[in-house]
Amino acid sequence: MSNPRVFMDLSIGGEAAGRIEIELYADIVPKTAENFRALCTGERVSVRDSNKKLHYKGTIFHHIVKGMKAKGGDFENHDGTGGESIYGECYDDENFFVPHCEAGMLTMASRGRNTYGSCFYLLFNHLYCLDRFCVVFGKVIKGMDIVKRIELLGTPGGKPTLEVKIEECGEIKDFVDIKNNVKEMSKKNPWVFLDLSMNGSSAETIVIELYADVVPKTAENFRALCTGENGVSVTGTPLNYKGVKFHRIIKGFGAQGGDISQKYSPPGGESIYGKTFEDESSNLNFTEAGMLYMASHGPKNTIGCRFCITFKPLPYLNGRVAFGKVIKGMEIVQKMDQFGTSEGTPSGLVQITNCGELQEDEKNNVMQFYSIKPPN
């Protein structure tokens, strides 16, 4: 079943600003998503007062800090001190599986543990400081230009320079959902391997198909970093994944690795094209485990060498640049998941001990292993 989508028609300074559309992660945080959805439709009333409608319509973003976030959703006092959930005054934290990793994400605002009501944050940037404290429940999928306009109204103290108001809101019932469009295995694309050691164990191999037919520049960056054929960067860092560890593993979510600088903190190492390169356009959705995408360190067009492998379908990542998929060794990816923690600090060492590109005869061996007829 598809995740629900909602809309907000906004005004800025009393003038119509346009509509933003939001996908709610009901597949990950169903209770939090349902709270937000129902507050958008206004279909529920307060459990304390049946004459009181719970609705975001007419509320404002009362606190906006440029470069960080906007806060809204207080339909009582319009200052962050009021509001309530559809379940009562407040409800418990659901989970912290989704990190605060990019602009346009929505997360619940609270007054401490298990105190969620109706107030929420709209992010203008990644805010990892909120991980483990706030529950991410959705992402803006249309209208990011409006989100950027809202950000420009922010001040260091949070008082907006113009009023941003939700004039109308509700659920989108008639959107067309893009079904599973993960590519079939193709020998025409490059295949690479990563030999992984876990806590010093003998290395086990995963094989990855790179989608050079969809995102050629991103695929070539990853391929060359696997082979190490480009030597060293301008700073003298070897452009090679060999010896690099997975420094962030979130159980049930995914693993991040590939920092060739081995400093394991933003911005990480470089790409083969220089410090960073621009995002390519990818129409592939994250509908399976084992998908790979490049990790950026903030805004768009900041891709270097760091990458992520997913442990499960993650539709909230749709729109990120998927560049490949594990086609052999998913059981090893599942072992990696066991080293994950809720906050992302691995419980053990997962390291790339060797890596490179598969040649034609090696591709044929993989095909035969899975009894797959090679495509034309």
Side-chain angles (χ1 to χ4, degrees), residues 12-74:
I12 296 177
E15 297 183 0
R19 171 175 291 193
I20 63 172
E21 296 184 8
I22 301 160
E23 178 184 352
L24 304 179
Y25 302 149
D27 56 336
I28 301 174
V29 282
K31 189 170 184 178
T32 308
E34 174 58 17
N35 181 61
F36 193 84
R37 186 201 66 79
L39 289 171
C40 283
T41 65
E43 66 194 57
R44 303 286 286 271
V45 296
S46 171
V47 296
R48 298 176 297 181
D49 180 0
S50 60
N51 293 317
K52 179 183 176 183
K53 192 175 185 179
L54 303 178
H55 202 185
Y56 284 141
K57 182 177 178 178
T59 62
I60 62 172
F61 285 91
H62 59 273
H63 192 266
I64 304 175
V65 179
K66 188 175 181 179
M68 294 185 66
K69 62 187 184 300
K71 184 177 181 180
D74 182 352

Short mmCIF file of all heavy atoms in Angstrom, two decimals, residues 12-74:
data_model
loop_
_atom_site.label_atom_id
_atom_site.label_comp_id
_atom_site.label_asym_id
_atom_site.label_seq_id
_atom_site.Cartn_x
_atom_site.Cartn_y
_atom_site.Cartn_z
N ILE A 12 2.27 33.93 2.26
CA ILE A 12 3.40 34.64 2.85
C ILE A 12 3.07 36.13 2.85
O ILE A 12 2.81 36.71 1.79
CB ILE A 12 4.71 34.38 2.09
CG1 ILE A 12 5.09 32.90 2.18
CG2 ILE A 12 5.83 35.27 2.63
CD1 ILE A 12 6.33 32.54 1.39
N GLY A 13 3.03 36.71 4.02
CA GLY A 13 2.68 38.13 4.12
C GLY A 13 1.30 38.42 3.60
O GLY A 13 1.04 39.52 3.10
N GLY A 14 0.38 37.46 3.72
CA GLY A 14 -1.00 37.65 3.29
C GLY A 14 -1.25 37.36 1.83
O GLY A 14 -2.40 37.43 1.38
N GLU A 15 -0.21 37.01 1.07
CA GLU A 15 -0.37 36.71 -0.35
C GLU A 15 -0.12 35.23 -0.62
O GLU A 15 0.77 34.63 0.00
CB GLU A 15 0.59 37.56 -1.19
CG GLU A 15 0.33 39.06 -1.10
CD GLU A 15 1.24 39.85 -2.01
OE1 GLU A 15 2.08 39.22 -2.71
OE2 GLU A 15 1.14 41.09 -2.03
N ALA A 16 -0.93 34.65 -1.52
CA ALA A 16 -0.79 33.23 -1.84
C ALA A 16 0.62 32.91 -2.30
O ALA A 16 1.18 33.60 -3.15
CB ALA A 16 -1.80 32.84 -2.92
N ALA A 17 1.21 31.86 -1.71
CA ALA A 17 2.60 31.49 -2.03
C ALA A 17 2.67 30.19 -2.82
O ALA A 17 3.70 29.90 -3.45
CB ALA A 17 3.41 31.36 -0.75
N GLY A 18 1.61 29.38 -2.78
CA GLY A 18 1.63 28.12 -3.49
C GLY A 18 1.45 26.93 -2.57
O GLY A 18 1.22 27.07 -1.37
N ARG A 19 1.58 25.75 -3.14
CA ARG A 19 1.29 24.51 -2.44
C ARG A 19 2.55 23.67 -2.27
O ARG A 19 3.38 23.55 -3.18
CB ARG A 19 0.25 23.71 -3.20
CG ARG A 19 0.01 22.29 -2.69
CD ARG A 19 -1.12 21.59 -3.41
NE ARG A 19 -2.41 22.19 -3.08
CZ ARG A 19 -3.59 21.62 -3.36
NH1 ARG A 19 -3.64 20.46 -4.00
NH2 ARG A 19 -4.71 22.23 -3.02
N ILE A 20 2.69 23.07 -1.09
CA ILE A 20 3.70 22.03 -0.89
C ILE A 20 2.97 20.70 -0.70
O ILE A 20 1.88 20.66 -0.13
CB ILE A 20 4.64 22.31 0.31
CG1 ILE A 20 3.87 22.36 1.63
CG2 ILE A 20 5.41 23.60 0.10
CD1 ILE A 20 4.78 22.44 2.86
N GLU A 21 3.57 19.63 -1.21
CA GLU A 21 3.02 18.29 -1.04
C GLU A 21 4.01 17.45 -0.26
O GLU A 21 5.23 17.55 -0.47
CB GLU A 21 2.71 17.67 -2.40
CG GLU A 21 1.63 18.41 -3.17
CD GLU A 21 1.26 17.74 -4.48
OE1 GLU A 21 1.74 16.60 -4.73
OE2 GLU A 21 0.49 18.33 -5.26
N ILE A 22 3.49 16.64 0.63
CA ILE A 22 4.31 15.90 1.58
C ILE A 22 3.95 14.42 1.54
O ILE A 22 2.76 14.07 1.60
CB ILE A 22 4.09 16.43 3.02
CG1 ILE A 22 4.44 17.92 3.09
CG2 ILE A 22 4.89 15.62 4.04
CD1 ILE A 22 3.82 18.63 4.29
N GLU A 23 4.96 13.56 1.43
CA GLU A 23 4.73 12.13 1.61
C GLU A 23 4.95 11.79 3.08
O GLU A 23 5.96 12.18 3.67
CB GLU A 23 5.68 11.30 0.75
CG GLU A 23 5.49 9.79 0.95
CD GLU A 23 6.47 8.93 0.19
OE1 GLU A 23 7.24 9.48 -0.64
OE2 GLU A 23 6.50 7.71 0.42
N LEU A 24 4.00 11.06 3.67
CA LEU A 24 4.10 10.66 5.07
C LEU A 24 4.58 9.21 5.16
O LEU A 24 4.08 8.34 4.45
CB LEU A 24 2.73 10.80 5.75
CG LEU A 24 2.10 12.19 5.67
CD1 LEU A 24 0.75 12.20 6.36
CD2 LEU A 24 3.02 13.24 6.29
N TYR A 25 5.54 8.95 6.05
CA TYR A 25 6.16 7.63 6.14
C TYR A 25 5.34 6.68 7.01
O TYR A 25 5.80 6.22 8.08
CB TYR A 25 7.58 7.75 6.67
CG TYR A 25 8.47 8.64 5.84
CD1 TYR A 25 9.50 9.36 6.42
CD2 TYR A 25 8.28 8.77 4.47
CE1 TYR A 25 10.34 10.18 5.66
CE2 TYR A 25 9.09 9.58 3.70
CZ TYR A 25 10.11 10.28 4.30
OH TYR A 25 10.93 11.09 3.55
N ALA A 26 4.14 6.37 6.54
CA ALA A 26 3.26 5.47 7.29
C ALA A 26 3.83 4.07 7.38
O ALA A 26 3.47 3.30 8.27
CB ALA A 26 1.88 5.44 6.64
N ASP A 27 4.72 3.71 6.44
CA ASP A 27 5.32 2.38 6.47
C ASP A 27 6.41 2.27 7.52
O ASP A 27 6.82 1.16 7.88
CB ASP A 27 5.89 2.03 5.09
CG ASP A 27 6.89 3.08 4.59
OD1 ASP A 27 6.82 4.24 5.03
OD2 ASP A 27 7.72 2.73 3.73
N ILE A 28 6.88 3.40 8.05
CA ILE A 28 7.95 3.40 9.05
C ILE A 28 7.43 3.87 10.41
O ILE A 28 7.74 3.28 11.44
CB ILE A 28 9.11 4.29 8.59
CG1 ILE A 28 9.67 3.81 7.24
CG2 ILE A 28 10.23 4.32 9.64
CD1 ILE A 28 10.72 4.72 6.65
N VAL A 29 6.64 4.95 10.41
CA VAL A 29 6.09 5.51 11.67
C VAL A 29 4.58 5.72 11.48
O VAL A 29 4.11 6.86 11.34
CB VAL A 29 6.80 6.83 12.05
CG1 VAL A 29 8.15 6.56 12.68
CG2 VAL A 29 6.98 7.74 10.84
N PRO A 30 3.80 4.64 11.47
CA PRO A 30 2.37 4.75 11.15
C PRO A 30 1.58 5.64 12.09
O PRO A 30 0.69 6.37 11.66
CB PRO A 30 1.89 3.29 11.22
CG PRO A 30 2.92 2.56 12.02
CD PRO A 30 4.21 3.24 11.72
N LYS A 31 1.89 5.61 13.39
CA LYS A 31 1.12 6.40 14.36
C LYS A 31 1.40 7.90 14.17
O LYS A 31 0.48 8.72 14.19
CB LYS A 31 1.47 5.97 15.78
CG LYS A 31 0.57 6.58 16.84
CD LYS A 31 0.81 5.93 18.20
CE LYS A 31 -0.18 6.49 19.23
NZ LYS A 31 -0.01 5.84 20.56
N THR A 32 2.65 8.25 13.97
CA THR A 32 3.03 9.65 13.77
C THR A 32 2.49 10.17 12.45
O THR A 32 1.99 11.31 12.37
CB THR A 32 4.56 9.80 13.83
OG1 THR A 32 5.05 9.19 15.03
CG2 THR A 32 4.98 11.25 13.81
N ALA A 33 2.58 9.34 11.41
CA ALA A 33 2.06 9.74 10.09
C ALA A 33 0.56 9.96 10.14
O ALA A 33 0.04 10.92 9.56
CB ALA A 33 2.41 8.67 9.05
N GLU A 34 -0.16 9.10 10.85
CA GLU A 34 -1.62 9.23 10.93
C GLU A 34 -2.01 10.48 11.71
O GLU A 34 -2.98 11.16 11.38
CB GLU A 34 -2.22 8.00 11.59
CG GLU A 34 -3.72 8.07 11.87
CD GLU A 34 -4.57 8.31 10.63
OE1 GLU A 34 -4.08 8.11 9.49
OE2 GLU A 34 -5.73 8.71 10.79
N ASN A 35 -1.24 10.81 12.75
CA ASN A 35 -1.50 12.04 13.51
C ASN A 35 -1.41 13.25 12.58
O ASN A 35 -2.31 14.10 12.56
CB ASN A 35 -0.49 12.15 14.64
CG ASN A 35 -0.70 13.39 15.50
OD1 ASN A 35 -1.75 13.57 16.12
ND2 ASN A 35 0.31 14.26 15.54
N PHE A 36 -0.35 13.33 11.79
CA PHE A 36 -0.16 14.48 10.90
C PHE A 36 -1.23 14.50 9.80
O PHE A 36 -1.77 15.56 9.47
CB PHE A 36 1.24 14.44 10.29
CG PHE A 36 1.64 15.72 9.62
CD1 PHE A 36 2.17 16.77 10.34
CD2 PHE A 36 1.50 15.88 8.25
CE1 PHE A 36 2.55 17.96 9.73
CE2 PHE A 36 1.86 17.06 7.61
CZ PHE A 36 2.39 18.10 8.37
N ARG A 37 -1.52 13.34 9.24
CA ARG A 37 -2.52 13.27 8.16
C ARG A 37 -3.87 13.78 8.65
O ARG A 37 -4.51 14.61 7.99
CB ARG A 37 -2.65 11.82 7.67
CG ARG A 37 -3.58 11.66 6.45
CD ARG A 37 -4.08 10.24 6.31
NE ARG A 37 -4.95 9.87 7.43
CZ ARG A 37 -6.23 10.24 7.53
NH1 ARG A 37 -6.80 10.99 6.60
NH2 ARG A 37 -6.94 9.88 8.59
N ALA A 38 -4.30 13.29 9.80
CA ALA A 38 -5.61 13.68 10.33
C ALA A 38 -5.64 15.16 10.73
O ALA A 38 -6.68 15.81 10.63
CB ALA A 38 -5.98 12.79 11.52
N LEU A 39 -4.50 15.69 11.19
CA LEU A 39 -4.44 17.12 11.52
C LEU A 39 -4.48 17.98 10.25
O LEU A 39 -4.91 19.13 10.30
CB LEU A 39 -3.19 17.42 12.33
CG LEU A 39 -3.19 16.89 13.77
CD1 LEU A 39 -1.82 17.04 14.41
CD2 LEU A 39 -4.25 17.59 14.62
N CYS A 40 -4.08 17.41 9.14
CA CYS A 40 -4.19 18.13 7.86
C CYS A 40 -5.63 18.11 7.35
O CYS A 40 -6.11 19.10 6.80
CB CYS A 40 -3.26 17.50 6.82
SG CYS A 40 -1.52 17.93 7.02
N THR A 41 -6.33 17.00 7.53
CA THR A 41 -7.70 16.91 7.02
C THR A 41 -8.70 17.56 7.95
O THR A 41 -9.79 17.97 7.52
CB THR A 41 -8.11 15.44 6.82
OG1 THR A 41 -8.14 14.77 8.10
CG2 THR A 41 -7.15 14.72 5.89
N GLY A 42 -8.37 17.66 9.25
CA GLY A 42 -9.30 18.22 10.22
C GLY A 42 -10.47 17.32 10.55
O GLY A 42 -11.51 17.77 11.05
N GLU A 43 -10.30 16.03 10.32
CA GLU A 43 -11.41 15.07 10.50
C GLU A 43 -11.63 14.66 11.95
O GLU A 43 -12.63 14.03 12.26
CB GLU A 43 -11.15 13.82 9.67
CG GLU A 43 -9.93 13.02 10.12
CD GLU A 43 -9.48 11.99 9.09
OE1 GLU A 43 -9.19 12.38 7.95
OE2 GLU A 43 -9.45 10.81 9.46
N ARG A 44 -10.71 15.02 12.84
CA ARG A 44 -10.81 14.59 14.24
C ARG A 44 -11.09 15.77 15.17
O ARG A 44 -10.80 16.93 14.84
CB ARG A 44 -9.52 13.90 14.67
CG ARG A 44 -9.13 12.71 13.80
CD ARG A 44 -10.00 11.50 14.06
NE ARG A 44 -9.64 10.90 15.33
CZ ARG A 44 -8.70 9.95 15.46
NH1 ARG A 44 -8.02 9.52 14.40
NH2 ARG A 44 -8.44 9.42 16.64
N VAL A 45 -11.65 15.45 16.33
CA VAL A 45 -11.89 16.46 17.38
C VAL A 45 -11.09 16.08 18.62
O VAL A 45 -10.63 14.94 18.76
CB VAL A 45 -13.39 16.58 17.72
CG1 VAL A 45 -14.17 17.08 16.53
CG2 VAL A 45 -13.94 15.25 18.22
N SER A 46 -10.95 17.03 19.52
CA SER A 46 -10.19 16.81 20.74
C SER A 46 -10.85 15.75 21.62
O SER A 46 -12.09 15.70 21.73
CB SER A 46 -10.07 18.12 21.51
OG SER A 46 -9.52 17.91 22.79
N VAL A 47 -10.02 14.91 22.24
CA VAL A 47 -10.56 13.92 23.18
C VAL A 47 -11.02 14.60 24.47
O VAL A 47 -11.77 14.02 25.24
CB VAL A 47 -9.51 12.84 23.49
CG1 VAL A 47 -9.15 12.05 22.25
CG2 VAL A 47 -8.26 13.43 24.13
N ARG A 48 -10.58 15.84 24.68
CA ARG A 48 -10.97 16.59 25.88
C ARG A 48 -12.20 17.45 25.66
O ARG A 48 -12.95 17.72 26.58
CB ARG A 48 -9.80 17.48 26.34
CG ARG A 48 -8.54 16.73 26.73
CD ARG A 48 -7.41 17.67 27.08
NE ARG A 48 -7.00 18.49 25.93
CZ ARG A 48 -6.03 19.39 25.97
NH1 ARG A 48 -5.37 19.60 27.11
NH2 ARG A 48 -5.70 20.08 24.90
N ASP A 49 -12.39 17.86 24.40
CA ASP A 49 -13.50 18.75 24.09
C ASP A 49 -14.01 18.42 22.69
O ASP A 49 -13.37 18.75 21.69
CB ASP A 49 -13.03 20.21 24.16
CG ASP A 49 -14.15 21.21 23.84
OD1 ASP A 49 -15.28 20.78 23.56
OD2 ASP A 49 -13.87 22.43 23.88
N SER A 50 -15.16 17.78 22.61
CA SER A 50 -15.69 17.31 21.33
C SER A 50 -16.09 18.46 20.41
O SER A 50 -16.33 18.24 19.21
CB SER A 50 -16.90 16.39 21.56
OG SER A 50 -17.93 17.09 22.25
N ASN A 51 -16.15 19.66 20.92
CA ASN A 51 -16.47 20.82 20.08
C ASN A 51 -15.23 21.47 19.47
O ASN A 51 -15.34 22.41 18.68
CB ASN A 51 -17.23 21.88 20.91
CG ASN A 51 -18.60 21.40 21.34
OD1 ASN A 51 -19.32 20.79 20.54
ND2 ASN A 51 -18.95 21.65 22.60
N LYS A 52 -14.07 20.94 19.84
CA LYS A 52 -12.81 21.52 19.38
C LYS A 52 -12.25 20.69 18.23
O LYS A 52 -11.90 19.52 18.39
CB LYS A 52 -11.80 21.55 20.54
CG LYS A 52 -10.44 22.11 20.18
CD LYS A 52 -9.54 22.03 21.40
CE LYS A 52 -8.13 22.49 21.09
NZ LYS A 52 -7.24 22.33 22.27
N LYS A 53 -12.16 21.29 17.05
CA LYS A 53 -11.65 20.61 15.87
C LYS A 53 -10.13 20.67 15.85
O LYS A 53 -9.53 21.72 16.12
CB LYS A 53 -12.22 21.27 14.61
CG LYS A 53 -12.00 20.49 13.33
CD LYS A 53 -12.72 21.17 12.17
CE LYS A 53 -12.61 20.36 10.90
NZ LYS A 53 -13.33 21.00 9.76
N LEU A 54 -9.51 19.54 15.54
CA LEU A 54 -8.05 19.48 15.46
C LEU A 54 -7.64 19.64 14.01
O LEU A 54 -7.81 18.73 13.19
CB LEU A 54 -7.55 18.14 16.01
CG LEU A 54 -7.96 17.79 17.44
CD1 LEU A 54 -7.43 16.42 17.85
CD2 LEU A 54 -7.46 18.86 18.42
N HIS A 55 -7.09 20.82 13.66
CA HIS A 55 -6.85 21.12 12.26
C HIS A 55 -5.72 22.13 12.12
O HIS A 55 -5.66 23.12 12.87
CB HIS A 55 -8.13 21.70 11.63
CG HIS A 55 -8.20 21.57 10.15
ND1 HIS A 55 -9.21 22.12 9.39
CD2 HIS A 55 -7.38 20.95 9.26
CE1 HIS A 55 -9.03 21.83 8.12
NE2 HIS A 55 -7.91 21.14 8.01
N TYR A 56 -4.83 21.87 11.15
CA TYR A 56 -3.73 22.81 10.89
C TYR A 56 -4.18 24.04 10.11
O TYR A 56 -3.44 25.04 10.05
CB TYR A 56 -2.63 22.11 10.10
CG TYR A 56 -1.76 21.17 10.90
CD1 TYR A 56 -1.33 19.95 10.36
CD2 TYR A 56 -1.32 21.51 12.17
CE1 TYR A 56 -0.50 19.10 11.07
CE2 TYR A 56 -0.50 20.65 12.90
CZ TYR A 56 -0.09 19.44 12.34
OH TYR A 56 0.73 18.61 13.05
N LYS A 57 -5.35 24.00 9.50
CA LYS A 57 -5.82 25.13 8.70
C LYS A 57 -5.87 26.40 9.55
O LYS A 57 -6.42 26.41 10.65
CB LYS A 57 -7.20 24.83 8.13
CG LYS A 57 -7.75 25.94 7.24
CD LYS A 57 -9.10 25.55 6.65
CE LYS A 57 -9.65 26.67 5.79
NZ LYS A 57 -10.95 26.31 5.16
N GLY A 58 -5.25 27.47 9.04
CA GLY A 58 -5.24 28.74 9.74
C GLY A 58 -4.06 28.93 10.68
O GLY A 58 -3.88 30.02 11.24
N THR A 59 -3.23 27.88 10.86
CA THR A 59 -2.08 28.02 11.75
C THR A 59 -0.91 28.66 11.02
O THR A 59 -0.90 28.75 9.78
CB THR A 59 -1.64 26.65 12.32
OG1 THR A 59 -1.25 25.80 11.24
CG2 THR A 59 -2.78 26.00 13.09
N ILE A 60 0.08 29.10 11.77
CA ILE A 60 1.24 29.78 11.20
C ILE A 60 2.53 29.04 11.55
O ILE A 60 2.56 28.22 12.48
CB ILE A 60 1.34 31.24 11.69
CG1 ILE A 60 1.52 31.26 13.23
CG2 ILE A 60 0.13 32.05 11.27
CD1 ILE A 60 1.84 32.64 13.80
N PHE A 61 3.58 29.34 10.80
CA PHE A 61 4.93 28.93 11.19
C PHE A 61 5.46 30.06 12.07
O PHE A 61 5.88 31.12 11.57
CB PHE A 61 5.80 28.71 9.96
CG PHE A 61 5.49 27.43 9.22
CD1 PHE A 61 4.56 27.42 8.20
CD2 PHE A 61 6.11 26.25 9.58
CE1 PHE A 61 4.26 26.24 7.53
CE2 PHE A 61 5.83 25.06 8.92
CZ PHE A 61 4.89 25.05 7.89
N HIS A 62 5.39 29.83 13.37
CA HIS A 62 5.66 30.92 14.32
C HIS A 62 7.14 31.12 14.61
O HIS A 62 7.54 32.14 15.17
CB HIS A 62 4.93 30.66 15.64
CG HIS A 62 5.34 29.36 16.29
ND1 HIS A 62 4.72 28.17 15.99
CD2 HIS A 62 6.29 29.09 17.21
CE1 HIS A 62 5.27 27.21 16.72
NE2 HIS A 62 6.23 27.75 17.46
N HIS A 63 7.98 30.13 14.24
CA HIS A 63 9.42 30.21 14.56
C HIS A 63 10.20 29.72 13.34
O HIS A 63 10.07 28.57 12.93
CB HIS A 63 9.72 29.34 15.78
CG HIS A 63 11.07 29.55 16.38
ND1 HIS A 63 12.17 28.79 16.05
CD2 HIS A 63 11.51 30.45 17.30
CE1 HIS A 63 13.22 29.19 16.74
NE2 HIS A 63 12.85 30.19 17.51
N ILE A 64 11.01 30.60 12.75
CA ILE A 64 11.77 30.26 11.55
C ILE A 64 13.21 30.72 11.73
O ILE A 64 13.47 31.91 11.94
CB ILE A 64 11.17 30.92 10.29
CG1 ILE A 64 9.69 30.55 10.13
CG2 ILE A 64 11.97 30.51 9.05
CD1 ILE A 64 9.00 31.26 8.97
N VAL A 65 14.14 29.77 11.66
CA VAL A 65 15.56 30.08 11.77
C VAL A 65 16.22 29.73 10.44
O VAL A 65 16.23 28.56 10.04
CB VAL A 65 16.24 29.31 12.92
CG1 VAL A 65 17.73 29.65 12.98
CG2 VAL A 65 15.56 29.63 14.25
N LYS A 66 16.77 30.72 9.78
CA LYS A 66 17.39 30.51 8.48
C LYS A 66 18.53 29.51 8.60
O LYS A 66 19.34 29.55 9.53
CB LYS A 66 17.92 31.84 7.94
CG LYS A 66 18.43 31.76 6.52
CD LYS A 66 18.83 33.14 6.01
CE LYS A 66 19.33 33.07 4.57
NZ LYS A 66 19.71 34.41 4.05
N GLY A 67 18.58 28.57 7.64
CA GLY A 67 19.63 27.56 7.62
C GLY A 67 19.36 26.37 8.51
O GLY A 67 20.12 25.40 8.50
N MET A 68 18.25 26.43 9.27
CA MET A 68 17.95 25.33 10.18
C MET A 68 16.55 24.76 9.95
O MET A 68 16.39 23.76 9.27
CB MET A 68 18.12 25.77 11.63
CG MET A 68 19.56 26.11 12.01
SD MET A 68 19.75 26.49 13.76
CE MET A 68 19.38 24.89 14.52
N LYS A 69 15.52 25.45 10.48
CA LYS A 69 14.18 24.86 10.42
C LYS A 69 13.12 25.90 10.71
O LYS A 69 13.39 26.98 11.25
CB LYS A 69 14.07 23.71 11.43
CG LYS A 69 14.27 24.12 12.89
CD LYS A 69 14.32 22.90 13.79
CE LYS A 69 14.41 23.26 15.27
NZ LYS A 69 15.60 24.05 15.63
N ALA A 70 11.88 25.51 10.35
CA ALA A 70 10.69 26.29 10.71
C ALA A 70 9.81 25.43 11.60
O ALA A 70 9.70 24.22 11.39
CB ALA A 70 9.93 26.72 9.46
N LYS A 71 9.16 26.05 12.58
CA LYS A 71 8.28 25.32 13.48
C LYS A 71 6.86 25.83 13.32
O LYS A 71 6.62 27.03 13.25
CB LYS A 71 8.73 25.51 14.94
CG LYS A 71 7.93 24.70 15.94
CD LYS A 71 8.49 24.88 17.36
CE LYS A 71 7.71 24.06 18.39
NZ LYS A 71 8.26 24.25 19.75
N GLY A 72 5.92 24.90 13.23
CA GLY A 72 4.51 25.26 13.11
C GLY A 72 3.65 24.20 13.77
O GLY A 72 4.13 23.31 14.47
N GLY A 73 2.34 24.31 13.55
CA GLY A 73 1.41 23.29 14.03
C GLY A 73 0.69 23.59 15.32
O GLY A 73 -0.11 22.77 15.77
N ASP A 74 0.94 24.73 15.95
CA ASP A 74 0.25 25.08 17.20
C ASP A 74 -1.06 25.78 16.85
O ASP A 74 -1.10 26.97 16.57
CB ASP A 74 1.13 25.99 18.06
CG ASP A 74 0.48 26.36 19.39
OD1 ASP A 74 -0.71 26.03 19.60
OD2 ASP A 74 1.16 26.99 20.22
#
